[in-house]
Amino acid sequence: EIVAVDISDGFEKLRKTFLETAHTKVVIYRDSMDDVIGYCHSLGLLQNPASIEEMLNEIIAIPETTVAQALMVRFISENRSIA
């Protein structure tokens, strides 16, 4: 299940989504799920951000042909867990 929030829904909707789903990461999109712009981590709430944009993290695009081992090495080197 993908948990996502439209960036125009605002910060309060994002906060509620974290509380209701217990997920640590929520995908952020603009207008439709076809236009994903990043993700937010629940730990970002501890920094008292003024907006979703301040919490936004980039989602890296990985080709389908990428070997799983190469992807894991990249995740570890970049300290990431979403692609």
Side-chain angles (χ1 to χ4, degrees):
E1 177 182 336
I2 296 175
V3 176
V5 171
D6 189 323
I7 195 158
S8 65
D9 288 342
F11 185 74
E12 188 59 27
K13 170 71 174 172
L14 177 63
R15 189 185 69 75
K16 284 183 180 181
T17 301
F18 279 123
L19 292 172
E20 292 170 357
T21 64
H23 288 274
T24 58
K25 296 176 183 111
V26 173
V27 173
I28 306 298
Y29 63 91
R30 180 174 286 116
D31 299 325
S32 78
M33 283 290 293
D34 292 330
D35 188 13
V36 172
I37 58 174
Y39 73 95
C40 291
H41 196 288
S42 60
L43 291 176
L45 293 173
L46 300 176
Q47 298 171 347
N48 295 321
S51 67
I52 293 176
E53 289 85 355
E54 289 182 20
M55 295 178 57
L56 205 56
N57 296 294
E58 177 187 14
I59 295 179
I60 54 176
I62 304 294
E64 269 185 57
T65 56
T66 302
V67 178
Q69 182 179 0
L71 181 58
M72 292 305 296
V73 168
R74 183 169 179 186
F75 276 173
I76 291 168
S77 68
E78 295 180 12
N79 197 24
R80 298 213 177 239
S81 60
I82 293 180

